[in-house]
Amino acid sequence: MGFKKMDASVTNLEEKLAKFEAEAVNHKTNLILFLADVDPATSLSWCPDCVRAEPVIYRKLEEAGEGVSLLRAYVGDKATWRNPQHPWRVDPRFHLTAVPTLLLWHNHSVSARLDDHQAHLPDNISALLASSP
């Protein structure tokens, strides 16, 4: 892949986010992609919107080339995600309401976002990438 990626889960996001932010200055564009976990029974994400959006997002990031960093944050299984008190639902940094959600991350905060109904559309992803400071 032409872009750099790192994975995080609910249990290690703070550690991974700190590393991601420390390396952010080395990249033109820094993104966080919140996704549903893979269902072991199917080897696919339990979220159909994630299954649809992931390949489109990765293709657009490949096209963007070097200088893009992606932190993939997995929200957990369906039961974990459905909990209204899920840590990322209540975290004021993210205000996460749906997966997939693609965030443009700049100066330790969200500068733009694509939620589940937008994250699979190539033109929206291109616009998000173009808005990178």
Side-chain angles (χ1 to χ4, degrees), residues 18 108 123:
H108 311 287
D123 289 344

Side-chain angles (χ1 to χ4, degrees), residues 79-101:
T80 301
W81 170 243
R82 298 280 186 220
N83 180 347
Q85 295 304 309
H86 187 287
W88 300 340
R89 287 184 184 273
V90 298
D91 191 320
R93 296 173 296 178
F94 309 125
H95 298 289
L96 201 60
T97 60
V99 288
T101 296

Side-chain angles (χ1 to χ4, degrees), residues 20 23-25 27-32 69 103-105 132:
F20 179 75
E23 295 175 3
V25 296
H27 305 285
K28 176 182 167 233
T29 304
N30 295 284
L31 304 160
I32 302 175
S69 179
L103 304 178
L104 180 60
W105 194 255
S132 182

Side-chain angles (χ1 to χ4, degrees), residues 16-62:
K16 297 291 185 161
L17 186 59
K19 183 176 181 189
F20 179 75
E21 288 183 328
E23 295 175 3
V25 296
N26 301 321
H27 305 285
K28 176 182 167 233
T29 304
N30 295 284
L31 304 160
I32 302 175
L33 176 58
F34 289 94
L35 296 164
D37 281 14
V38 171
D39 179 348
T42 64
S43 298
L44 295 172
S45 171
W46 57 259
C47 166
D49 290 338
C50 294
V51 171
R52 177 175 59 168
E54 270 191 279
V56 179
I57 292 168
Y58 299 151
R59 185 172 63 248
K60 295 306 287 183
L61 297 185
E62 274 296 329

